[in-house]
Amino acid sequence: NAGVMQNPRHLVRRRGQEARLRCSPMKGHSHVYWYRQLPEEGLKFMVYLQKENIIDESGMPKERFSAEFPKEGPSILRIQQVVRGDSAAYFCASSPGFGTIQPQHFGDGTRLSIL
Amino acid sequence: QKEVEQDPGPLSVPEGAIVSLNCTYSNSAFQYFMWYRQYSRKGPELLMYTYSSGNKEDGRFTAQVDKSSKYISLFIRDSQPSDSATYLCAMIGETGGYQKVTFGTGTKLQVIP
């Protein structure tokens, strides 16, 4: 499967715990985007990363949320001390990079539930 | 005012009907326009992608862009029950040297057999 891979598909955490969401981009893609989707709402941009760099994190809450895309391995979205309001579907997308405009391709998301 | 407005629906049509899905936008910097289809509990899947004003056809799907009116449409001919999904419009405008995507909230479509 050469698509965007996200895991886990479902994640349950208790309030105060940490959540780690992983995303492996499509082969040949070096740009990763994270979005959050609440029921009946659209996709809300959180952060845009290239390998080892955060390009735009304007959509990510300043506290408790962080993201990385290391030189080796998947991109990680980390949520510390989770609260009920963090319950949502988190989607990762990837694109090839700069140059010509390239649409983003999405994974099937991680559904995070906070007890 | 949101940058991209999309009627959330739901929109119910009988099988075989022509479906029209629409988005309006306010940001003149948007240059590229896309339609995604999202099935329940799945990720958005790219359907159509266009740059210029006019029509682009792919099978039963036609994407239409009117930049002067800031209005885009997706038409689905001979709709099928398998077309039942949420359809998201998306637009790209350059921001700080990279292309930032803005999504509509999605229109939920149900095609009744």
Side-chain angles (χ1 to χ4, degrees):
Chain A
N1 187 345
V4 178
M5 301 301 293
Q6 289 188 250
N7 67 82
R9 290 295 311 278
H10 303 274
L11 183 60
V12 180
R13 286 285 178 266
R14 297 188 181 280
R15 280 178 294 171
Q17 291 184 321
E18 179 180 288
R20 280 186 178 234
L21 288 61
R22 288 177 291 277
C23 169
S24 296
M26 282 181 72
K27 190 175 180 181
H29 287 191
S30 58
H31 294 216
V32 165
Y33 312 79
W34 285 93
Y35 294 86
R36 180 161 72 175
Q37 187 176 47
L38 291 167
E40 311 304 323
E41 292 190 17
L43 288 160
K44 303 296 183 188
F45 168 80
M46 298 181 72
V47 61
Y48 161 45
L49 310 103
Q50 297 174 33
K51 286 282 187 182
E52 301 184 279
N53 285 305
I54 297 174
I55 307 301
D56 182 357
E57 56 182 348
S58 60
M60 201 153 67
K62 295 286 187 286
E63 296 180 355
R64 302 189 299 110
F65 286 73
S66 63
E68 62 177 13
F69 189 15
K71 189 176 180 180
E72 301 292 336
S75 175
I76 306 286
L77 179 67
R78 183 182 177 205
I79 311 173
Q80 294 178 290
Q81 299 176 315
V82 297
V83 301
R84 288 252 170 88
D86 296 332
S87 295
Y90 291 84
F91 289 96
C92 168
S94 70
S95 68
F98 291 136
T100 57
I101 299 290
Q102 294 289 341
Q104 297 170 15
H105 295 264
F106 284 81
D108 280 336
T110 293
R111 276 151 187 84
L112 177 64
S113 297
I114 309 302
L115 301 179
Chain B
Q1 182 189 6
K2 290 182 181 177
E3 281 191 292
V4 179
E5 298 277 359
Q6 185 174 10
D7 187 334
L11 178 63
S12 290
V13 301
E15 183 175 354
I18 296 175
V19 176
S20 172
L21 304 164
N22 311 295
C23 287
T24 58
Y25 62 95
S26 57
N27 189 344
S28 299
F30 288 138
Q31 305 169 46
Y32 298 86
F33 305 90
M34 293 155 289
W35 286 95
Y36 286 83
R37 176 175 64 196
Q38 186 176 21
Y39 290 115
S40 180
R41 308 194 78 75
K42 301 285 279 184
E45 170 195 0
L46 181 67
L47 274 179
M48 302 283 286
Y49 162 49
T50 185
Y51 168 68
S52 58
S53 284
N55 293 354
K56 181 177 181 179
E57 192 172 316
D58 184 0
R60 296 186 294 112
F61 298 91
T62 299
Q64 191 174 78
V65 174
D66 183 347
K67 287 186 177 180
S68 62
S69 301
K70 298 189 179 66
Y71 188 89
I72 69 169
S73 299
L74 177 71
F75 298 98
I76 307 174
R77 289 186 301 280
D78 187 25
S79 56
Q80 303 295 309
S82 59
D83 295 328
S84 298
T86 297
Y87 290 79
L88 300 154
C89 63
M91 308 183 186
I92 295 178
E94 286 207 20
T95 302
Y98 79 93
Q99 302 102 32
K100 186 170 184 176
V101 182
T102 302
F103 286 87
T105 52
T107 299
K108 192 169 185 178
L109 171 68
Q110 186 177 19
V111 180
I112 312 294

